[in-house]
Amino acid sequence: MAPSTAAAIPIIDLAGDQADVARQLVAAAQDHGFIYIRNLGDDVTPRDIDQAFALSRKLFDAPAEEKQKCAIQNNRGWAGMHVEALDPKNQKARAFNFGEFVDGRAQQPLPSSIANEEQLLSAFADSCRRLCHKILSLLGQGLDVGDFFSSAHFVRQSGSGTILRFLRYPSAESTAHSSQDIRAGAHSDYGSITLLFRLKGQAGLEILKKDSTWAPVPVCPPGTDTDPSPPILVNIGDLLSYWTNGLFRSTVHRVVFPTAGSGSVDGESSSGTRYSIAFFCHPEDSSRLEPVPSQRVQRYVPDGDGPDQNPYSQRQVLTAREHLEMRLKESYATSLVSEEATSA
Ligand SMILES: O=C(O)CCC(=O)C(=O)O
Ligand SMILES: [Fe+2]
């Protein structure tokens, strides 16, 4: 059971009555910006998820030179961790970003240890795309704008910022840390929606609530413990926030080292290496980020709960590509996870 401090994110089963599911998704996007999608094996099967995590371990365990040959370029490839052992606050996840696959083939170099698994990776990305499409259609339906969101995505298999990302975080034991230290800094996601896959027992993700306090996000919220796979966590990114004029929350989140009694969830811990997989779904680059013609969006007035903590909740750019470039420029300028700073 999660302690009462855990974020009260709704758990939604996409198989229910579709109009009702659409309503629930819109409410969750508006109230929390995060949604648990119950995973009973229909959309992304537990076997696919297990295989993807096995591939991720294989990739991270591959020799450093192999990964270094795929060093990140144009937001695709290997981003190693900046070694800053004396300053635990600078601990960062290591990540490998896969851009879109075209006809089952990666459009970037892959480390040789996983090069033979291209089909599997591509199939996993395809399942994620299909699930994103379904969720985007339902969100459109819930706002009475039909397929406005879904039709802006996946028209072609390239020409978008969509990324499948494998992440590995250092264990709590591997270096000195306190519960205040950060494994991944506070941020909102750049795309439309993100799917996040996590492993049972591995603590760390927190969201910033409307009252400006952090709340842990359990991997298995109450009622899902016996499901074949933990729920898939979906979060709203900046673009859906722009498209809805802030009605949908692009909620700020981070990854930390919770310890017992300090923001931890029963049954989860920070020990051991933490793995996660994110699918960042982006629309076609040329998509314009104007508010959708939904009465609900037009009528929306922020509820006066103070300035939104996400500086990107206000639309500043015209197209999806412009937004992505702005975010990448900022994150590579401030983050140690950059081309120059990569190490294995
Ligand atoms: O690893 C996690 O739980 C979250 C990762 C994340 O928020 C991101 O990569 O944008
Ligand atoms: Fe994120």
Side-chain angles (χ1 to χ4, degrees):
M1 258 286 290
S4 55
T5 54
I9 298 168
I11 305 166
I12 297 177
D13 182 352
L14 293 184
D17 171 76
Q18 294 299 277
D20 190 39
V21 172
R23 264 191 302 277
Q24 291 179 46
L25 287 172
V26 166
Q30 180 170 358
D31 295 340
H32 301 275
F34 271 75
I35 308 159
Y36 285 114
I37 300 295
R38 194 138 183 226
N39 191 1
L40 302 174
D42 298 334
D43 294 299
V44 189
T45 67
R47 186 164 164 269
D48 291 346
I49 298 169
D50 290 348
Q51 282 177 336
F53 274 110
L55 260 180
S56 169
R57 285 175 198 273
K58 201 163 163 186
L59 184 153
F60 286 112
D61 288 344
E65 317 79 67
E66 226 185 81
K67 291 177 284 195
Q68 206 53 53
K69 280 189 194 146
C70 307
I72 198 153
Q73 275 188 338
N74 189 24
N75 203 32
R76 285 149 176 73
W78 168 247
M81 185 176 65
H82 186 80
V83 179
E84 188 92 20
L86 293 177
D87 180 4
K89 286 194 167 49
N90 276 331
Q91 290 178 100
K92 296 277 177 182
R94 300 172 189 199
F96 198 99
N97 284 356
F98 303 94
E100 300 234 35
F101 293 80
V102 178
D103 298 329
R105 307 305 299 258
Q107 305 298 297
Q108 65 192 78
L110 295 181
S112 45
S113 300
I114 61 154
N116 287 341
E117 322 270 13
E118 204 174 18
Q119 294 295 327
L120 221 152
L121 279 165
S122 164
F124 185 74
D126 276 348
S127 319
C128 292
R129 288 160 65 101
R130 279 193 295 274
L131 176 55
C132 287
H133 226 264
K134 197 184 221 181
I135 295 167
L136 289 164
S137 299
L138 285 160
L139 286 170
Q141 196 179 319
L143 281 186
D144 287 327
V145 292
D147 64 357
F148 185 99
F149 301 131
S150 51
S151 66
H153 295 73
F154 308 133
V155 179
R156 294 168 291 134
Q157 281 194 301
S158 58
S160 88
T162 297
I163 292 286
L164 171 68
R165 174 183 291 168
F166 287 172
L167 286 142
R168 182 165 81 171
Y169 298 82
S171 69
E173 303 84 30
S174 66
T175 180
H177 70 278
S178 80
S179 59
Q180 306 306 310
D181 291 337
I182 305 294
R183 284 160 139 177
H187 66 281
S188 62
D189 287 353
Y190 314 165
S192 334
I193 53 174
T194 304
L195 307 182
L196 185 67
F197 301 88
R198 296 176 296 160
L199 293 171
K200 272 188 184 166
Q202 299 201 331
L205 181 66
E206 293 186 338
I207 63 170
L208 192 58
K209 292 191 298 183
K210 284 185 182 173
D211 66 2
S212 298
T213 59
W214 290 100
V217 182
V219 178
C220 292
T224 64
D225 315 56
T226 56
D227 287 355
S229 200
I232 300 167
L233 191 64
V234 175
N235 66 287
I236 301 295
D238 295 342
L239 303 190
L240 266 180
S241 190
Y242 290 161
W243 265 324
T244 59
N245 232 353
L247 175 73
F248 288 177
R249 291 172 66 82
S250 176
T251 298
V252 172
H253 51 285
R254 66 180 186 181
V255 181
V256 292
F257 287 108
T259 48
S262 166
S264 73
V265 168
D266 282 355
E268 294 187 1
S269 90
S270 305
S271 77
T273 306
R274 179 179 187 272
Y275 291 86
S276 66
I277 299 177
F279 184 79
F280 301 100
C281 169
H282 288 245
E284 299 288 316
D285 284 340
S286 58
S287 304
R288 292 176 69 82
L289 302 172
E290 278 140 3
V292 292
S294 151
Q295 287 198 354
R296 190 136 169 210
V297 168
Q298 280 156 14
R299 281 199 307 260
Y300 172 66
V301 184
D303 56 12
D305 54 2
D308 200 300
Q309 299 96 339
N310 176 4
Y312 299 100
S313 54
Q314 296 303 313
R315 186 163 41 88
Q316 300 171 17
V317 291
L318 278 184
T319 67
R321 171 54 52 179
E322 283 172 3
H323 173 75
L324 182 61
E325 279 170 6
M326 173 183 79
R327 294 298 307 265
L328 290 176
K329 209 161 123 204
E330 289 173 11
S331 102
Y332 285 113
T334 54
S335 166
L336 297 173
V337 186
S338 69
E339 274 169 75
E340 305 82 63
T342 44
S343 71

